[in-house]
Amino acid sequence: RCRAAALAADDDGGAERSIVDEVIALCEGDYVNKATRMLQAMERQRVQLQGIPRAEALRAYMALWEAAVRTKKWGIVVNLFQQLKGEGGSALTDDMYDTALFACERRADGVTAEAILRSTEPTAARYNVAIRARTKELEVTDAVRLYRELRGKGWALETATVNLMMQVCAAIKETAYSLKLFDAMEPLGVAADERSYSLAIRSASVLEEEEGGGWIRCLRLLNAMRATAQPKNMPR
């Protein structure tokens, strides 16, 4: 409070600028929630008094963005992105788009992730993040739809994306589809890692032979994992 009062009394500052500096000071100390509330108060002041220049207010937004990313407050990151996008998006960089997509993935917010994907230059990496966000949201149909778009552009899925889709498919009892995803990795040029094999073995263990599973398939997968990945502590 003393700091805020001192800033407010500063001949060069004034109340409008002091609240910006106070937000930045809170962000520097990683007091993200307090800084968010003060930023909201600043926005009300901007709307009511129109006394804070946009460029000055942007300093507070950028400070809060950096603090929210640093402290992994992904919900605040997404909200800030949407606020900045609503003001025209001129302050947003490519890195900020990528960070916002990552935040959506961490929050399993597939709807927002896809909206961000549609609002920027699409890349294979951004599609993969959006697919993972949709998958974590348990919207497998939407994840597959985005995957088809990805393939239509000549891009490939990442190993981590396939693994997540396999995991979720198995969790929702779509075990056969989980195994089909694994079988599609090699033809699609996606490298399987140890987790890919582990998920495939788990799926094969609950399927019958006519469904592509069974214990013989499990053993073949285990041998393939040994030959390919050479993981440590593998049972012999």
Side-chain angles (χ1 to χ4, degrees):
R1 291 180 180 176
C2 292
R3 175 184 168 84
L7 287 168
D10 193 315
D11 292 337
D12 295 329
E16 293 81 10
R17 293 206 306 185
S18 69
I19 195 170
V20 170
D21 290 330
E22 192 66 17
V23 170
I24 292 172
L26 287 169
C27 291
E28 289 172 349
D30 286 344
Y31 296 107
V32 176
N33 292 332
K34 289 183 180 179
T36 300
R37 289 193 292 271
M38 187 163 286
L39 186 71
Q40 291 168 346
M42 183 193 78
E43 281 303 301
R44 288 193 295 270
Q45 188 172 331
R46 282 182 69 201
V47 171
Q48 293 168 4
L49 304 178
Q50 298 181 349
I52 302 177
R54 186 176 183 279
E56 183 70 7
L58 191 59
R59 290 176 54 229
Y61 273 100
M62 292 298 104
L64 183 54
W65 174 275
E66 291 175 6
V69 172
R70 188 167 58 246
T71 57
K72 301 179 180 180
K73 302 282 188 181
W74 303 122
I76 292 175
V77 169
V78 173
N79 289 337
L80 281 172
F81 178 88
Q82 291 174 323
Q83 284 180 274
L84 292 168
K85 193 79 170 65
E87 291 194 5
S90 59
L92 294 170
T93 64
D94 282 346
D95 285 344
M96 292 174 77
Y97 275 94
D98 291 335
T99 301
L101 274 168
F102 177 76
C104 290
E105 180 190 346
R106 297 304 299 265
R107 299 182 71 238
D109 186 353
V111 173
T112 305
E114 185 169 348
I116 293 172
L117 176 70
R118 304 297 184 200
S119 68
T120 187
E121 183 69 26
T123 64
R126 286 171 175 168
Y127 260 99
N128 272 274
V129 175
I131 291 169
R132 290 196 294 270
R134 279 295 197 184
T135 303
K136 288 183 177 180
E137 199 178 39
L138 301 184
E139 295 292 346
V140 178
T141 302
D142 288 311
V144 171
R145 172 175 51 78
L146 288 174
Y147 158 69
R148 287 173 179 160
E149 289 182 21
L150 178 80
R151 289 296 298 163
K153 295 178 181 294
W155 295 332
L157 285 170
E158 296 170 2
T159 301
T161 305
V162 180
N163 289 350
L164 179 63
M165 294 177 74
M166 289 176 65
Q167 179 184 344
V168 169
C169 286
I172 62 174
K173 310 302 182 185
E174 292 289 344
T175 317
Y177 192 75
S178 177
L179 197 55
K180 285 180 181 178
L181 284 168
F182 176 82
D183 290 337
M185 292 181 78
E186 185 176 353
L188 292 175
V190 182
D193 60 11
E194 185 177 347
R195 178 153 181 77
S196 310
Y197 279 104
S198 297
L199 289 165
I201 291 169
R202 189 182 307 170
S203 296
S205 68
V206 299
L207 292 173
E208 300 296 334
E209 288 187 16
E210 57 269 22
E211 298 174 297
W215 286 108
I216 294 177
R217 179 71 192 280
C218 289
L219 289 172
R220 287 175 178 167
L221 288 168
L222 183 61
N223 288 332
M225 180 165 67
R226 285 173 175 165
T228 303
Q230 295 296 326
K232 296 179 181 179
N233 303 319
M234 176 61 65
R236 297 184 180 278

